[in-house]
Amino acid sequence: MPYSSRKTVTTGPHLWLLALFIGLCAPAQAAGGADIQVQLEGWTDAGPVHAALMRADQADWSAAPLHSVQVTGQRLGFVAVAPGRYAVQLFQDRNGNGRLDLSPRGIPLEPVGFSGNPSLLKGKPTLADSAFEHGTAAQVLSIRLRQPRRARGEPTPLQPASAPQH
């Protein structure tokens, strides 16, 4: 058969079905939302990390989370999250009891973290302090796990001796 620059394309029913399937699935996937990945700073392998994704327009953290995950690694994720304003809170469960342990004064005894890495000097941040915007594209958040403060009476680690000042 001689070479011909002319090509014939046949369009059978399968090709039309494939085109229809692709056309229908693309909007459905976009409407489902995009992933939110969280990279943990200060993570150790001392226990699982529990994380909760909250709507930032809620009154406080006590509402039920939209999504919650438990991981034993340095990364975690929330899958197919619709665009909106959210906040993430997490803690590392060092003793494996499934909850954040608090002192009698309500101070965390295990590492905690919040999206936006707000200051914890005045206590637990508000949802607004930890809020971020999530659009239609996947995104990566970096959240620092803050180590608990030492309890009173706990020995202070030894400091290196400094040279005498004259």
Side-chain angles (χ1 to χ4, degrees):
M1 188 170 203
Y3 175 78
S4 168
S5 63
R6 195 170 183 190
K7 294 182 181 178
T8 4
V9 178
T10 58
T11 56
H14 300 296
L15 186 58
W16 288 106
L17 286 174
L18 179 62
L20 178 64
F21 178 74
I22 291 171
L24 291 176
C25 288
Q29 186 179 15
D35 296 352
I36 298 173
Q37 295 293 319
V38 177
Q39 176 69 37
L40 300 172
E41 296 176 24
W43 176 84
T44 63
D45 61 355
V49 174
H50 297 264
L53 178 70
M54 311 286 290
R55 286 199 184 281
D57 61 0
Q58 294 176 276
D60 57 35
W61 295 100
S62 65
L66 292 172
H67 300 282
S68 59
V69 295
Q70 177 184 337
V71 298
T72 55
Q74 202 167 0
R75 288 186 73 97
L76 60 96
F78 302 100
V79 180
V81 179
R85 194 163 166 79
Y86 299 97
V88 174
Q89 69 173 339
L90 49 87
F91 72 95
Q92 187 168 22
D93 187 11
R94 288 192 169 166
N95 61 5
N97 66 356
R99 61 181 174 81
L100 175 62
D101 295 320
L102 302 171
S103 74
R105 294 177 50 201
I107 298 170
L109 299 174
E110 297 174 299
V112 296
F114 298 89
S115 49
N117 298 308
S119 171
L120 302 179
L121 289 175
K122 295 182 180 180
K124 189 173 185 175
T126 64
L127 281 161
D129 293 336
S130 302
F132 64 93
E133 290 292 331
H134 178 60
T136 57
Q139 71 182 110
V140 177
L141 302 176
S142 181
I143 298 180
R144 184 174 42 250
L145 277 169
R146 310 273 181 128
Q147 300 302 315
R149 295 184 190 157
R150 287 187 316 277
R152 284 192 181 153
E154 186 177 317
T156 304
L158 294 175
Q159 299 296 322
S162 59
Q165 296 179 358
H166 297 274

